[in-house]
Amino acid sequence: MQLKKTIVALAFMLVAGAAAFADEAYDVVKKFTELDVPEYSKATMLLEIKNKNGAVETREMIEYGSGFNVLKNVVFDIQKDSTSKYKGVRVLQAEKTNKEDDRWIYEPSLRNVRRIQTGERSGSFVGCEFTYNDMTIRKVDEDKHEMLNANDSINVNGTNYTCWQIKSVPIKKNDIEYGYRICWYDKKTYLPVKMEYYDKKDPKLLMKTFIIEKIDNVKGITGTPYVLRRSCLITNHITGRTTRVTVKDFVFDNEKLVNKKIFTTNWLMTGK
């Protein structure tokens, strides 16, 4: 009888431990999605896209961001493009409460604004290795999260990090281009300093790897501190292509530089 009680108690502890790890994984990802963002932000960003033969394309864009009413909205305005194909393209990502986020694109060649449908969001963002899905932060409840290692040590681009290693599986599998991702969340900043994306059909096939190459602690003009991903690199292991995103300059919390009208489809069309 005592042995039976011990086995039952042990089984309960194992189940409880698994549940605790699941809760911890969820909490870590939730804290990442809730990191403070400036109420107003403007940044110039450089995209460097390199193919497997070493040829490089560059695009320069202005990113406007807002944290109005907690919701995160972003506009990307392509100012320069070495291929001229994407110059003038503008993309709006508008976060919704308890709804699917809205995404809109203005294409100068068509002279119109159209909504980016869910099925299109797995496609390339202005010809780079990031998809439209990559350009936004997924809501914590869109995935099922599993703690793989609660105290992992990794080196990313020469910097050592102590991380939570978490596996996240999309709940709506048809809405996303990968089967699951494994993320290493830095314990100091909660940023995912490394992410691996695996194939839907072959769970062992690594499709893409994303790393944060450089993190800066910065302040807005009001003195509010933020953690800035200064440089990020994504590698597509299927195509051999890479895309590096570098923040050239930025201004946070300056209301005069970011008008609420920017986050509308009318501004995408007119630029004013």
Side-chain angles (χ1 to χ4, degrees), residues 4 57 78 80 85 95 114 156 207 214 225 227 266:
K4 184 176 180 180
E57 298 176 8
I78 311 301
K80 300 177 183 178
K85 184 177 179 180
E95 189 176 37
R114 65 176 182 85
V156 180
M207 298 170 57
K214 185 178 181 182
V227 180
N266 183 65

Side-chain angles (χ1 to χ4, degrees), residues 18 28-29 35 41 91 103 115 121 139 194 203 216 264 268:
V28 169
V29 179
L35 287 177
S41 67
V91 177
R103 293 179 178 89
R115 190 172 187 271
R121 298 175 186 182
K139 294 181 174 67
K194 181 179 179 181
D216 280 346
T264 64
L268 291 187

